[in-house]
Amino acid sequence: MIRPQKQGIGAMGCDGPPQRRSEDETKTRSLIPVNIYLLITLLCALALLGYFFRVPLGERIVHYYHLFADREQIKTFIAAFGLGAPVAFIVIQILQVVLAP
């Protein structure tokens, strides 16, 4: 099948003079590297905090692991929230799904 050639201005792939970028587009492009550096800095700071507080964090994780490993302790923990117990149960279920190994 033979396609007809384009006629007119766009025939050679030239659509006229290059378009200037808007100020918003230029600002957005200049913010991307700043956002990446900010994200990297934040991740490094979190890694350092995790490293320096690894012992207390580890103890806290083990405490909650033992708390949630026993069914009676889970019932007591959720019942302690009173009227907010259903919300606490839902949050625990979400965390169980998200953080499950």
Side-chain angles (χ1 to χ4, degrees):
M1 180 163 131
I2 300 174
R3 293 184 182 172
Q5 292 185 349
K6 291 184 177 180
Q7 300 283 331
I9 294 175
M12 297 180 67
C14 180
D15 294 330
Q19 298 288 327
R20 293 190 65 191
R21 292 186 181 144
S22 68
E23 289 182 28
D24 292 336
E25 189 177 344
T26 304
K27 286 179 184 178
T28 303
R29 287 183 180 251
S30 66
L31 288 178
I32 291 173
V34 173
N35 289 340
I36 290 173
Y37 291 132
L38 184 63
L39 179 65
I40 290 171
T41 303
L42 180 66
L43 290 175
C44 289
L46 286 174
L48 283 173
L49 284 172
Y51 176 75
F52 287 123
F53 293 104
R54 68 185 180 276
V55 174
L57 285 173
E59 291 172 356
R60 182 67 63 151
I61 290 170
V62 169
H63 168 74
Y64 283 112
Y65 174 77
H66 290 298
L67 173 73
F68 292 116
D70 184 20
R71 186 177 187 146
E72 291 303 318
Q73 286 184 347
I74 293 175
K75 285 182 182 180
T76 305
F77 179 75
I78 292 175
F81 284 95
L83 292 175
V87 174
F89 177 73
I90 292 169
V91 169
I92 289 172
Q93 292 298 313
I94 291 170
L95 291 174
Q96 180 181 358
V97 170
V98 171
L99 300 176

mmCIF file of all heavy atoms in Angstrom, residues 57-69 73:
data_model
loop_
_atom_site.group_PDB
_atom_site.id
_atom_site.type_symbol
_atom_site.label_atom_id
_atom_site.label_comp_id
_atom_site.label_asym_id
_atom_site.label_seq_id
_atom_site.Cartn_x
_atom_site.Cartn_y
_atom_site.Cartn_z
ATOM 1 N N LEU A 57 14.742 0.597 68.660
ATOM 2 C CA LEU A 57 13.742 0.199 67.666
ATOM 3 C C LEU A 57 13.583 -1.314 67.628
ATOM 4 O O LEU A 57 12.471 -1.828 67.529
ATOM 5 C CB LEU A 57 14.121 0.719 66.282
ATOM 6 C CG LEU A 57 13.912 2.206 66.026
ATOM 7 C CD1 LEU A 57 14.491 2.585 64.677
ATOM 8 C CD2 LEU A 57 12.461 2.567 66.096
ATOM 9 N N GLY A 58 14.689 -2.015 67.707
ATOM 10 C CA GLY A 58 14.642 -3.478 67.714
ATOM 11 C C GLY A 58 13.885 -4.011 68.917
ATOM 12 O O GLY A 58 13.090 -4.951 68.803
ATOM 13 N N GLU A 59 14.137 -3.400 70.082
ATOM 14 C CA GLU A 59 13.424 -3.827 71.290
ATOM 15 C C GLU A 59 11.926 -3.566 71.152
ATOM 16 O O GLU A 59 11.103 -4.392 71.560
ATOM 17 C CB GLU A 59 13.976 -3.089 72.504
ATOM 18 C CG GLU A 59 15.390 -3.507 72.865
ATOM 19 C CD GLU A 59 16.003 -2.629 73.948
ATOM 20 O OE1 GLU A 59 15.356 -1.633 74.364
ATOM 21 O OE2 GLU A 59 17.136 -2.940 74.364
ATOM 22 N N ARG A 60 11.572 -2.421 70.577
ATOM 23 C CA ARG A 60 10.158 -2.084 70.402
ATOM 24 C C ARG A 60 9.493 -3.051 69.424
ATOM 25 O O ARG A 60 8.370 -3.491 69.628
ATOM 26 C CB ARG A 60 10.050 -0.641 69.887
ATOM 27 C CG ARG A 60 8.656 -0.129 69.700
ATOM 28 C CD ARG A 60 7.925 0.018 70.980
ATOM 29 N NE ARG A 60 8.578 1.004 71.813
ATOM 30 C CZ ARG A 60 7.970 1.753 72.701
ATOM 31 N NH1 ARG A 60 6.674 1.634 72.858
ATOM 32 N NH2 ARG A 60 8.625 2.596 73.439
ATOM 33 N N ILE A 61 10.194 -3.394 68.366
ATOM 34 C CA ILE A 61 9.650 -4.334 67.375
ATOM 35 C C ILE A 61 9.424 -5.698 68.004
ATOM 36 O O ILE A 61 8.381 -6.331 67.797
ATOM 37 C CB ILE A 61 10.583 -4.420 66.149
ATOM 38 C CG1 ILE A 61 10.517 -3.118 65.349
ATOM 39 C CG2 ILE A 61 10.209 -5.605 65.252
ATOM 40 C CD1 ILE A 61 11.567 -2.994 64.271
ATOM 41 N N VAL A 62 10.395 -6.161 68.797
ATOM 42 C CA VAL A 62 10.248 -7.462 69.471
ATOM 43 C C VAL A 62 9.082 -7.416 70.449
ATOM 44 O O VAL A 62 8.289 -8.369 70.549
ATOM 45 C CB VAL A 62 11.564 -7.852 70.183
ATOM 46 C CG1 VAL A 62 11.360 -9.041 71.098
ATOM 47 C CG2 VAL A 62 12.637 -8.148 69.151
ATOM 48 N N HIS A 63 8.922 -6.301 71.161
ATOM 49 C CA HIS A 63 7.803 -6.156 72.101
ATOM 50 C C HIS A 63 6.466 -6.304 71.376
ATOM 51 O O HIS A 63 5.582 -7.044 71.817
ATOM 52 C CB HIS A 63 7.886 -4.794 72.803
ATOM 53 C CG HIS A 63 6.653 -4.438 73.568
ATOM 54 N ND1 HIS A 63 6.320 -5.033 74.766
ATOM 55 C CD2 HIS A 63 5.635 -3.567 73.286
ATOM 56 C CE1 HIS A 63 5.171 -4.537 75.205
ATOM 57 N NE2 HIS A 63 4.744 -3.639 74.312
ATOM 58 N N TYR A 64 6.312 -5.576 70.269
ATOM 59 C CA TYR A 64 5.049 -5.661 69.529
ATOM 60 C C TYR A 64 4.865 -7.016 68.856
ATOM 61 O O TYR A 64 3.737 -7.485 68.698
ATOM 62 C CB TYR A 64 4.925 -4.517 68.512
ATOM 63 C CG TYR A 64 4.549 -3.218 69.169
ATOM 64 C CD1 TYR A 64 5.431 -2.161 69.224
ATOM 65 C CD2 TYR A 64 3.299 -3.059 69.752
ATOM 66 C CE1 TYR A 64 5.089 -0.971 69.844
ATOM 67 C CE2 TYR A 64 2.938 -1.886 70.370
ATOM 68 C CZ TYR A 64 3.840 -0.842 70.418
ATOM 69 O OH TYR A 64 3.486 0.325 71.033
ATOM 70 N N TYR A 65 5.950 -7.643 68.474
ATOM 71 C CA TYR A 65 5.836 -8.982 67.905
ATOM 72 C C TYR A 65 5.252 -9.937 68.938
ATOM 73 O O TYR A 65 4.329 -10.703 68.634
ATOM 74 C CB TYR A 65 7.200 -9.489 67.428
ATOM 75 C CG TYR A 65 7.147 -10.930 66.973
ATOM 76 C CD1 TYR A 65 6.624 -11.264 65.740
ATOM 77 C CD2 TYR A 65 7.583 -11.968 67.803
ATOM 78 C CE1 TYR A 65 6.545 -12.574 65.323
ATOM 79 C CE2 TYR A 65 7.516 -13.290 67.395
ATOM 80 C CZ TYR A 65 6.995 -13.588 66.162
ATOM 81 O OH TYR A 65 6.919 -14.892 65.762
ATOM 82 N N HIS A 66 5.775 -9.882 70.163
ATOM 83 C CA HIS A 66 5.255 -10.757 71.219
ATOM 84 C C HIS A 66 3.824 -10.376 71.591
ATOM 85 O O HIS A 66 3.014 -11.258 71.921
ATOM 86 C CB HIS A 66 6.163 -10.714 72.451
ATOM 87 C CG HIS A 66 7.479 -11.383 72.226
ATOM 88 N ND1 HIS A 66 7.603 -12.726 71.927
ATOM 89 C CD2 HIS A 66 8.736 -10.891 72.239
ATOM 90 C CE1 HIS A 66 8.873 -13.029 71.766
ATOM 91 N NE2 HIS A 66 9.590 -11.931 71.940
ATOM 92 N N LEU A 67 3.525 -9.090 71.530
ATOM 93 C CA LEU A 67 2.163 -8.647 71.822
ATOM 94 C C LEU A 67 1.178 -9.230 70.813
ATOM 95 O O LEU A 67 0.130 -9.761 71.187
ATOM 96 C CB LEU A 67 2.087 -7.117 71.784
ATOM 97 C CG LEU A 67 0.689 -6.517 71.917
ATOM 98 C CD1 LEU A 67 0.191 -6.659 73.344
ATOM 99 C CD2 LEU A 67 0.702 -5.068 71.499
ATOM 100 N N PHE A 68 1.512 -9.168 69.535
ATOM 101 C CA PHE A 68 0.583 -9.632 68.506
ATOM 102 C C PHE A 68 0.690 -11.125 68.217
ATOM 103 O O PHE A 68 -0.078 -11.649 67.426
ATOM 104 C CB PHE A 68 0.776 -8.819 67.228
ATOM 105 C CG PHE A 68 0.343 -7.398 67.380
ATOM 106 C CD1 PHE A 68 1.253 -6.365 67.284
ATOM 107 C CD2 PHE A 68 -0.981 -7.090 67.645
ATOM 108 C CE1 PHE A 68 0.853 -5.053 67.432
ATOM 109 C CE2 PHE A 68 -1.391 -5.782 67.794
ATOM 110 C CZ PHE A 68 -0.475 -4.760 67.696
ATOM 111 N N ALA A 69 1.602 -11.807 68.853
ATOM 112 C CA ALA A 69 1.703 -13.254 68.670
ATOM 113 C C ALA A 69 0.726 -13.993 69.571
ATOM 114 O O ALA A 69 0.422 -15.158 69.340
ATOM 115 C CB ALA A 69 3.130 -13.728 68.940
ATOM 116 N N GLN A 73 -3.685 -11.296 74.183
ATOM 117 C CA GLN A 73 -3.104 -9.967 74.302
ATOM 118 C C GLN A 73 -3.637 -9.037 73.199
ATOM 119 O O GLN A 73 -3.827 -7.849 73.428
ATOM 120 C CB GLN A 73 -1.574 -10.026 74.238
ATOM 121 C CG GLN A 73 -0.959 -10.563 75.509
ATOM 122 C CD GLN A 73 0.558 -10.518 75.468
ATOM 123 O OE1 GLN A 73 1.160 -10.312 74.415
ATOM 124 N NE2 GLN A 73 1.177 -10.743 76.617
#
